[in-house]
Amino acid sequence: MDQNTPSPFKRLLTLCLGVLRPPAGRKRIAVAFLYGVVCHAIFAAAVIAMITAMFFGMSESLGRVPGTWAILANALLILQFPLMHSLLLSARGRRLLGYLAPAAYSGTLSTTTYAIVASVQLLALFALWTPSGIVWWRAEGTAFYVVCTFYASAWLLLIKASYDAGAEVQSGALGWMSLAQNIKPVFPDMPVTGLFRIIRQPIYVAFALTLWTVPVWTPDQLALAISLTAYCLAAPVLKERRFAQRYGERFARYQATVPYAVPALRKLPKHTDQP
């Protein structure tokens, strides 16, 4: 990271403080705060649903699709997330996001509308899942506390990785906070600090870890873990293609020195992020 580049904390703090004294513009401010409230409310609901549903191995959820139709319904719930998530990162997807906000503000709000859609998808997946009713294994006694420690640690890693990548982008705050201040969204630079010093895809790896460290195992949890882990390993390939186009030689040097998803056992050459 360049010495002149602000730290993730300073960048986020500056963005948040700017919201407290936005320039005049009643309609713009109202739209910004409306999208902010909607975004963070759905985001919080999705995270709570994820943590809770997986804690119980997907055995406790609101879905009630009868019989074998439940298998199809659950499969569609799994597929809708990676397919739509990837689509919205494409040029066509960005155009679709433009329809989810007033035309004058859609560009600025793109990270917020993206986070809203992603949160709705996750909320649907974990809240509307139809449980099979089969429980293979449930941690008890000491094993319960050990597994819960791993589960909590995986979530803490995910939070840390999201922070290192840019919490304002991951949470959708960048869009509405920038609109409130009537400024162009400033995206974080290519992440190379924190967990990104160890592997190139810590967000996907941390999310995959949350899938496999649950205290209750069911056929539902296994199907979810296999499907989304496959996505977590494959999807970053497309992300890295975008990074290669955007950052060129900088990303090539980073890619050559930092592993993809598994930390290196030997000491790697020190990566220097110089333009």
Side-chain angles (χ1 to χ4, degrees):
M1 179 182 289
D2 193 294
Q3 292 183 349
N4 296 323
T5 303
S7 67
F9 176 76
K10 184 177 180 180
R11 189 178 61 241
L12 182 60
L13 180 62
T14 301
L15 186 65
C16 292
L17 290 177
V19 173
L20 300 178
R21 300 179 62 183
R26 186 175 301 176
K27 179 181 177 181
R28 186 196 74 251
I29 294 173
V31 171
F33 276 86
L34 174 62
Y35 273 79
V37 169
V38 171
C39 176
H40 297 314
I42 299 177
F43 183 88
V47 171
I48 292 172
M50 289 168 62
I51 293 174
T52 304
M54 289 198 295
F55 183 84
F56 293 103
M58 304 300 289
S59 64
E60 301 288 340
S61 194
L62 301 178
R64 293 295 182 270
V65 178
T68 56
W69 287 105
I71 298 175
L72 176 60
N74 289 341
L76 291 175
L77 284 173
I78 291 177
L79 287 174
Q80 58 87 23
F81 177 72
L83 292 179
M84 181 61 71
H85 202 63
S86 299
L87 171 64
L88 293 180
L89 290 173
S90 66
R92 178 181 297 179
R94 288 192 292 271
R95 289 195 296 270
L96 291 175
L97 286 175
Y99 294 111
L100 300 181
Y105 308 132
S106 61
T108 304
L109 286 171
S110 61
T111 57
T112 301
T113 52
Y114 181 86
I116 290 173
V117 173
S119 297
V120 169
Q121 290 182 272
L122 287 172
L123 183 59
L125 170 57
F126 290 98
L128 300 181
W129 185 274
T130 299
S132 66
I134 301 171
V135 176
W136 285 333
W137 179 79
R138 191 186 305 272
E140 297 178 349
T142 302
F144 175 78
Y145 295 103
V146 171
V147 174
C148 286
T149 298
F150 282 118
Y151 188 56
S153 299
W155 277 101
L156 290 175
L157 280 175
L158 181 57
I159 292 170
K160 178 62 166 66
S162 299
Y163 169 80
D164 292 338
E168 65 272 37
V169 175
Q170 302 300 317
S171 67
L174 178 62
W176 78 265
M177 287 188 176
S178 297
L179 179 61
Q181 299 173 63
N182 200 24
I183 60 176
K184 184 178 180 180
V186 178
F187 286 81
D189 196 11
M190 184 180 80
V192 295
T193 59
L195 294 177
F196 287 86
R197 291 183 181 274
I198 303 171
I199 54 176
R200 301 198 305 272
Q201 301 299 336
I203 293 179
Y204 286 95
V205 170
F207 180 63
L209 288 175
T210 68
L211 296 166
W212 294 97
T213 54
V214 298
V216 177
W217 275 97
T218 65
D220 312 64
Q221 183 65 34
L222 182 61
L224 185 78
I226 292 174
S227 302
L228 294 187
T229 298
Y231 171 72
C232 287
L233 292 174
V237 173
L238 300 177
K239 176 183 175 182
E240 294 206 341
R241 289 178 185 173
R242 295 193 300 272
F243 271 42
Q245 294 175 350
R246 185 181 307 169
Y247 298 109
E249 184 60 29
R250 285 180 61 203
F251 181 71
R253 290 196 300 270
Y254 173 69
Q255 193 175 36
T257 57
V258 179
Y260 181 67
V262 180
L265 297 178
R266 60 185 177 82
K267 187 176 181 179
L268 295 170
K270 185 178 180 180
H271 171 69
T272 55
D273 183 29
Q274 299 296 328

